[in-house]
Amino acid sequence: MWVGWLEAELLLGDVHTLKQKRAVVRPVVAELRRALDVSVAEVGHTDLYRRTVVGVALTSVDHAHADALLDRAERLLASRPDVDLLSVRRRLVRSDDLD
């Protein structure tokens, strides 16, 4: 089994409250879940208005499939007009390597 994750740091547009931030982040998270059928959550900078870190996690039987899903997640985030993708960290490992 392959385990993959991606952490994307995002800069949000004209956001001045945490409520406005939720209105931007919630659709991003929902789109990733719906489009890719992966686990997604806001995992960092939860107390800042204009920044966030979105985490994507997945498991797959096939390395190429997992890598392609992580690529698609990164492209989806980069293509959103309401956020700027600042950085991406990603990792893909075999479950045997986690021991």
Side-chain angles (χ1 to χ4, degrees), residues 2-22:
W2 289 90
V3 178
W5 60 264
L6 176 143
E7 285 182 338
E9 185 169 0
L10 306 174
L11 179 64
L12 309 179
D14 190 27
V15 173
H16 301 288
T17 67
L18 291 176
K19 185 175 182 179
Q20 290 175 329
K21 178 183 182 177
R22 278 194 310 275

Side-chain angles (χ1 to χ4, degrees), residues 20-81:
Q20 290 175 329
K21 178 183 182 177
R22 278 194 310 275
V24 173
V25 173
R26 191 174 293 152
V28 171
V29 168
E31 183 179 3
L32 284 165
R33 280 187 188 135
R34 183 181 64 254
L36 304 176
D37 196 25
V38 294
S39 297
V40 186
E42 182 180 10
V43 296
H45 298 314
T46 56
D47 57 338
L48 300 178
Y49 299 153
R50 295 203 57 223
R51 289 186 112 154
T52 191
V53 178
V54 173
V56 176
L58 60 91
T59 60
S60 177
V61 101
D62 180 47
H63 178 274
H65 180 254
D67 198 37
L69 280 175
L70 293 176
D71 285 342
R72 286 179 57 199
E74 186 173 343
R75 282 194 308 270
L76 192 147
L77 289 167
S79 71
R80 292 204 49 107

